[in-house]
Amino acid sequence: MVISRPVLALAATLAALSSSATAVSQSQNAAPVRNAAEHQRVEQLIQGVEKAYQNGVSNYQQGHLAAARSNFDYAVDQMLTSGIPIKSDPDLSDEFDHIVDAVNTIEMDALKQGSGLQAPAEPTPAEAAEQATFTVDPAVVAQAEAALKTTQSDLPLVINDTVAGYIDFFTKSRVGHGTIVASLQRAGRYRAMIAKVLKDAGLPQDLIYLAFAESGFRPQAMNAGSGAGGMWQFMPWGVYGLARNGWYDERFDPEKATQAYARLIKANYDQLGDWYLAIAAYNWGAGAVQHAVQRTGYADFWELYKRNNLPQQTKEYVPEIIAVALIAKNPKQYGLDDITPDPPIVTDTVQTDYAVSFQLAADLVGTTASEIADLNPSLLRGCTPPDESYDFHLPAGTKDLFTKRIAAIPEDKRRYWRYHVVHPGDTLEDVAREFHVSASEIATENQIAEGGDLSGLDAVVIPISQATSPSKSSIYVARRGDSLVTVADRFNVTVEDLKRWNHLSTSAVPAGRRLYISEPAHVSSGRHSSRHEVSGRSSGTTKAGASKSTGKTKQSTTKTSGKSTAKSSAEKKPKPRHS
C-alpha cells in the first residue's frame, strides 16, 4: 500500500503531539475544585474544542485544507470567546496551549509541502504572463490589427509581434485566460472610482489597464519578491502620500492608492513626455528611463526596446499593458463578451476617532465581519485606529443605523463589546450562551431587572470582557514575501521583540504563520507561540480620556511593479529609482 506524503507527515506530527495531549490529561486530574456549574461549563467547552480540532485533523488528512483551517480557527476561537479567563483556569490554559501547539505543528508541516493551510494565491496577469512562450501567430496579428482600426483609445496603441504574443497567451492559454477573466470581473468593483480619479487628474482613461498587470484589481495583492503591495503595487517607502502604521496601510486603500498612482504616472509623463515611456517608468523608475533616453538620444520606448536599453521585464511590461487594453476593449472579438463584471462597491462612510471592531460594526448594521473587512482593506488589525480620525466604510445605506446603535456602547468598549438584535423567542440565557458571557452581566449592562426577560427590547449590548475578547487585532497573519523585518517595520516593533513573543530563532516567516505583534499576556514556558492574543490591553481612548499609544509612526510609500518573475537573474525585476 502506498501512503501519501501528507498522511505520513501527519502521522509523525500526531505522534509528536501525543505527549502534550497526555500532559493535558494529567493536568486536568490536578485541577482545582470548582462548583458543579463551572466544572460542567469548562468540560463542555473543552469537548467542543477537541471535536473541532479532530474535525480539522480529519479534513487535513483528506486534503481539505480550507476546511481544516476553518476547523482549527473555530477550535481556538471557542476558547477565546468563552468568557472564561484562560490563564486563570489550568485545564483551559493547558487545552489552549495543546491545541495551539498542535495546529502550529500541523501548519508548519503543511507549509513544507506547499502553501500551508492557505489557498494558493491567484496570480496577477503579470505573474501569469511569465509562463508565456512567444510563437508569433500570423492569424492573431491580423486579428489584432483589424481590431485596432476600430478601437478607440486615449493611449497610442500599436500592434507588433510582442503585443500579439501576449494577446495569444491571455486569450488561448488556460492560465492566461483564467487570470484575464478574473481581472475583468473584479474590475467592475473599482472601474467607476478609477475613472473618476483619472478624469479629475486630467489623465487618459486607458491608464486603468496598468491595474490589470499589477494586481488584477486586488486591493491587498502582495509581491513576494519586492514587498510591493496593493492594487497599484507601491513599495513600503517613498514620498507619494500613502501612510502606514500599526493600524492601517494605505497602499491597500483602493481610492487613496489610485490617487497616488495618478500623481506618479502624471509625474512620469511630465518628466518624459511620452506615455509609453511613462508606463515603462512606472515599472523601472523615471530616473532610470530618463538616463536611458539621455544615453541613447532616443525618447521613444520602441527604439529603447530594439536597442536593449531597457531591463527585460520593463521591455515586456509595456506590450503586456497594450495587449490587455486591446482585449478589454474588444471582448466579443476575443470570446470574453459573456463576462459579467462585479457590481461597483458602494459604501457609506463614517468618521471614527475611536477603536471599533469589525465584529461590532457588523452587528450594528446587520452584516458580517468579513464584509466590513472587504470594505476596509487597508485596516490591518480588525478594527479602526484609536485616537485618530479615520474614514470607516460601511455597506451602503447603513450610516444612520450605525450612528444610532453605536451610541449605546461606551466609546472605550467598542473594540470588544458586541450588539445583539433581539428576535422572537430569544431568552437572556440563550443570548448569554451564544456570546459566552453570563446572563447577569447582560442584565446589568442593559438595566434588566432581576428575574426579567428580553420582552419589549429591540436589542441588547453584550459586555464581552477585554481579557477574554478574541483580540485578533494583536495577531498578524504573514503573507507571501514577509520577513520579521517587514513585519516589525509595519507594526513599529523590533525584530527581537517579534522573535521573543513568537519563540522564533530566524527572521524567515512562512506565509500563513500567525504572529503576535504585541506582547502576549499568556505564553506558557517551553511552548510555541499561541495563535491568538489572550491578554486584554486596550489601545483605545478611555472615558476618562487617558492617552493610549497608537503606534502612529507614519511612513510613506513608493511604487514598484507587482510582477514577480522566475526568470534568470539577469531578467529579474529592476528596483525602481525615482528621481
Side-chain angles (χ1 to χ4, degrees):
M1 179 178 72
V2 178
I3 303 177
S4 67
R5 182 180 174 186
V7 173
L8 284 171
L10 179 61
T13 296
L14 297 179
L17 294 170
S18 62
S19 60
S20 67
T22 301
V24 170
S25 176
Q26 291 172 346
S27 72
Q28 289 172 349
N29 291 334
V33 177
R34 311 184 194 92
N35 65 46
E38 290 173 338
H39 179 78
Q40 183 179 18
R41 186 181 177 195
V42 170
E43 288 301 311
Q44 288 177 342
L45 176 59
I46 290 175
Q47 289 173 12
V49 169
E50 284 293 334
K51 181 178 180 181
Y53 168 71
Q54 292 301 333
N55 287 341
V57 170
S58 177
N59 277 317
Y60 179 70
Q61 283 181 300
Q62 298 173 47
H64 305 316
L65 301 185
R69 159 61 60 211
S70 179
N71 294 144
F72 293 148
D73 283 347
Y74 181 57
V76 174
D77 287 346
Q78 282 186 83
M79 290 181 281
L80 292 172
T81 60
S82 67
I84 304 172
I86 293 177
K87 70 175 182 177
S88 67
D89 187 286
D91 287 356
L92 194 56
S93 176
D94 286 340
E95 177 70 8
F96 182 87
D97 288 335
H98 159 58
I99 292 296
V100 165
D101 285 345
V103 171
N104 278 341
T105 303
I106 291 173
E107 187 163 27
M108 291 304 101
D109 177 76
L111 283 166
K112 293 176 184 177
Q113 303 172 53
S115 58
L117 299 177
Q118 307 293 323
E122 173 194 329
T124 66
E127 291 170 334
E130 294 166 9
Q131 304 179 28
T133 55
F134 294 102
T135 55
V136 179
D137 185 341
V140 173
V141 175
Q143 183 184 38
E145 288 175 341
L148 184 60
K149 293 177 181 179
T150 59
T151 299
Q152 294 184 343
S153 175
D154 46 14
L155 290 178
L157 303 183
V158 299
I159 291 295
N160 54 37
D161 288 352
T162 306
V163 174
Y166 277 110
I167 291 175
D168 188 68
F169 172 75
F170 283 127
T171 57
K172 294 185 178 180
S173 74
R174 181 184 61 82
V175 173
H177 182 266
T179 56
I180 205 72
V181 166
S183 297
L184 284 170
Q185 288 175 331
R186 199 180 294 113
R189 305 177 195 176
Y190 308 104
R191 183 180 292 276
M193 178 273 292
I194 294 172
K196 183 179 185 305
V197 170
L198 294 175
K199 181 180 179 181
D200 291 347
L203 295 171
Q205 288 290 301
D206 286 349
L207 288 174
I208 188 175
Y209 295 113
L210 272 72
F212 279 87
E214 293 291 341
S215 67
F217 289 95
R218 286 179 292 156
Q220 293 180 316
M222 286 293 295
N223 181 277
S226 68
M231 187 183 297
W232 301 100
Q233 291 292 282
F234 285 92
M235 288 291 287
W237 42 264
V239 289
Y240 294 98
L242 296 177
R244 296 173 58 244
N245 60 32
W247 297 93
Y248 56 80
D249 187 333
E250 289 181 348
R251 294 181 299 163
F252 304 135
D253 184 302
E255 186 167 1
K256 289 182 178 180
T258 299
Q259 291 167 346
Y261 161 69
R263 291 192 293 270
L264 177 55
I265 199 72
K266 186 176 188 299
N268 288 349
Y269 180 77
D270 290 344
Q271 178 175 343
L272 300 167
D274 177 270
W275 281 118
Y276 284 167
L277 292 179
I279 294 171
Y282 197 75
N283 178 260
W284 191 23
V289 174
Q290 183 72 59
H291 184 66
V293 169
Q294 293 172 343
R295 186 172 62 250
T296 63
Y298 289 100
D300 180 277
F301 173 81
W302 296 110
E303 289 294 334
L304 298 177
Y305 182 101
K306 288 187 294 185
R307 287 168 169 74
N308 288 320
N309 289 116
L310 300 168
Q312 183 64 32
Q313 192 178 83
T314 306
K315 290 174 66 176
E316 296 169 352
Y317 186 72
V318 173
E320 184 181 326
I321 302 299
I322 297 172
V324 168
L326 282 168
I327 293 169
K329 297 173 83 67
N330 297 277
K332 185 174 182 180
Q333 182 168 331
Y334 292 106
L336 301 173
D337 52 322
D338 59 343
I339 293 177
T340 302
D342 292 343
I345 292 179
V346 182
T347 67
D348 280 357
T349 301
V350 295
Q351 196 167 75
T352 64
D353 57 3
Y354 51 81
V356 55
S357 70
F358 290 170
Q359 291 92 343
L360 176 58
D363 293 342
L364 297 172
V365 302
T367 186
T368 63
S370 61
E371 182 179 1
I372 298 296
D374 288 343
L375 296 179
N376 297 276
S378 65
L379 288 175
L380 304 175
R381 306 178 75 172
C383 67
T384 56
D387 305 327
E388 180 176 356
S389 179
Y390 188 85
D391 289 336
F392 189 42
H393 301 300
L394 302 168
T398 64
K399 178 179 179 178
D400 291 344
L401 184 63
F402 175 90
T403 303
K404 176 183 176 182
R405 288 178 168 177
I406 201 168
I409 298 179
E411 188 172 295
D412 63 327
K413 307 296 185 183
R414 294 172 182 175
R415 190 175 172 188
Y416 305 101
W417 283 21
R418 301 289 298 275
Y419 184 92
H420 175 76
V421 176
V422 176
H423 301 287
D426 277 353
T427 68
L428 195 56
E429 290 71 23
D430 289 339
V431 176
R433 192 176 303 112
E434 177 182 348
F435 289 96
H436 303 286
V437 298
S438 70
S440 62
E441 289 175 309
I442 296 177
T444 299
E445 292 297 338
N446 293 275
Q447 300 179 26
I448 300 172
E450 185 177 352
D453 56 28
L454 301 179
S455 60
L457 295 178
D458 294 324
V460 290
V461 298
I462 311 297
I464 293 179
S465 167
Q466 178 179 337
T468 57
S469 173
S471 182
K472 294 181 180 179
S473 59
S474 295
I475 292 291
Y476 173 73
V477 181
R479 301 170 178 171
R480 288 192 307 158
D482 273 341
S483 68
L484 288 191
V485 175
T486 61
V487 175
D489 175 65
R490 170 173 289 178
F491 294 104
N492 302 308
V493 297
T494 69
V495 171
E496 291 307 312
D497 281 341
L498 291 176
K499 287 183 177 179
R500 178 167 54 85
W501 296 338
N502 295 280
H503 301 280
L504 299 173
S505 58
T506 71
S507 294
V509 183
R513 173 68 185 260
R514 282 157 168 73
L515 295 172
Y516 283 115
I517 45 83
S518 64
E519 185 168 11
H522 177 69
V523 179
S524 294
S525 175
R527 293 187 182 273
H528 295 294
S529 61
S530 300
R531 297 170 60 229
H532 291 274
E533 173 67 87
V534 219
S535 90
R537 266 196 317 257
S538 172
S539 297
T541 303
T542 67
K543 281 188 173 180
S547 173
K548 303 284 183 177
S549 173
T550 61
K552 289 182 238 176
T553 303
K554 292 190 178 181
Q555 300 167 334
S556 297
T557 58
T558 189
K559 159 75 192 49
T560 189
S561 167
K563 184 173 179 181
S564 86
T565 177
K567 297 184 179 182
S568 67
S569 59
E571 297 182 359
K572 286 183 179 178
K573 180 184 178 86
K575 182 178 180 179
R577 290 171 288 176
H578 301 298
S579 59

